[in-house]
Amino acid sequence: MWLSLIAIVMGTFVAVLNSSLMNVAMNKFVSVFGSDINTMQWVITGYTLASAMVIPMSGFLGARFGNKTIFVYSVAGFTLFSGLNGLAWSAGSMIAFRILQGFVGGFIMPIGMSIIYSAFPKEKISTAIGLWGVAAMCAPALGPTFGGYLIQNFSWRLLFFINVPIGILAVIMGKILLKDSPRKMGLKFDTPGALLSMTFFGSLLLALSKGQSEGWTSLFIVSLLYVSVFSLLLLIWVELGSKNPVLDLRLFKNFKFTISVISGSLVMMGMMGGTFLTPLYLQNIQGLSAMQTGIVMMPQSVAMALMMPISGKLADRFGIVPLCMVGLSILGVTTLELHHLTTDTPNHWLDTLLTIRGIGIGLCMMPLTTAGMRAVLPQQVGNASPLSNVCRQVAGSLGIAIFTAIMSNRQVVHYSHISDSVQVDSLIANNTLSMLTGAIYSWSVDTATATGTAAAYLAGFMQKEALVRSIADTFYLSAIPAFLCIPFVLLFIQRKKAAAPAAGVKE
């Protein structure tokens, strides 16, 4: 039983590692293929969209063909397209392979979770899920640092080839160690539900990922949001009337499962805020490389990974509510503290705060998921897992979209305030400009060039200060999901049943 978990952990690890490796490689892909950053972002966006579109179908496929079969073929397909990505000859071929990789690899995490909940006894599920969560947290810790090292010292192709031996080993172990699950023959595929769910999640995630660059009021984004809203309404109508729905929305009638999905989604939003903002600060403000940024962020991911199995044990001993209350409080308070970031904040202060923040996330993430999955019937696990996974994925994308918009807006506001407070004819501005001009004039050709360069430097300093203030403001607001989650966690408190009347007592 525990050996089978190794195969699931390895499959999850290779999928999450591959995604985290891509975040540091965009500039390299742009230079290698002579493309632009907006085009190459589809290496990440295309995979995310494709995987989100197929996640809802994992419940049906697992029931019809068996969880083991789907998991093994999903890891095999992911590994195959990882190798093809390493052989990519153009931007178009890489994007196409990544989209196909998302379609086949999107089943790995929801099916892996379903196998764990169906294969392990109830008292051991928390520990198993905690160990499984280690893979999901260790991979992001290694990704930026390892990816930066490979790009800097070897070839970008190794970012994909490195997954091949791990994936092959995961397939072999899955074949040998995983047990076949019962198959339900004669299940009719919910084609309308599948098409509508793909339309909804695809259009919504595309709108969220491209809203800031395209403009939230642009025809493209508004059309996508319009399509997503109406496809969602049709999806709800179709799925509630289907005997074998792709997405079993009736699971939301289960109070504990619904609370688990909502609170888990809020934690995901808060976590993604830090994951998105911290690299921006370290690279754009402090000028760190991708590899150096990964090293700074690694202790946070390691703390999360170490806390995953520990949180499972603690949840079994003390219960979900006290553990999550502590974890969410740590997450909220440390995120609020990141509001004090400045251009010269020491990295050791940031590192310490992020590590404590990682402990908070590790304490509450898996117990919240486990609480919801334990609340459903064993035969409903196959449908509950994809529904929970896709909701958290949408929440993460929504969080990044919201925080990006907030950061951009606050940067404009702060730059305007700085410009208003530092007048061109003020003594401070003139002294600063004169000092910069004098420094530049020592190696410049003429005074005019030195003055123009000094003015550009001053404007750059103002932009940098506006950016760091906007990042600090966004960190402040990204703490809100953690605090919003606390009332939902309190709903997990169970009232003690009234004691039965003593024997022999007449009513």
Side-chain angles (χ1 to χ4, degrees), residues 437 440-453:
T437 302
I440 296 169
Y441 181 71
S442 61
W443 47 265
S444 181
V445 177
D446 53 57
T447 306
T449 303
T451 304
T453 306

Side-chain angles (χ1 to χ4, degrees), residues 436-487:
L436 286 172
T437 302
I440 296 169
Y441 181 71
S442 61
W443 47 265
S444 181
V445 177
D446 53 57
T447 306
T449 303
T451 304
T453 306
Y457 273 126
L458 185 59
F461 293 149
M462 293 166 64
Q463 285 282 8
K464 189 175 182 180
E465 181 62 29
L467 177 60
V468 75
R469 290 185 187 182
S470 68
I471 291 174
D473 287 352
T474 311
F475 264 123
Y476 190 83
L477 294 174
S478 70
I480 292 175
F483 292 119
L484 281 178
C485 192
I486 290 176

Side-chain angles (χ1 to χ4, degrees), residues 70-85:
I70 299 301
F71 182 82
V72 169
Y73 276 104
S74 184
V75 175
F78 181 93
T79 305
L80 171 64
F81 283 109
S82 193
L84 291 174
N85 269 297

Side-chain angles (χ1 to χ4, degrees), residues 22 89-90 163 190 202 242 247 255 357 421-422 443 447 489:
M22 294 303 101
W89 57 90
S90 65
N163 299 312
D190 179 19
S242 176
L247 275 180
F255 181 73
R357 186 174 181 271
S421 61
V422 182
W443 47 265
T447 306
V489 170

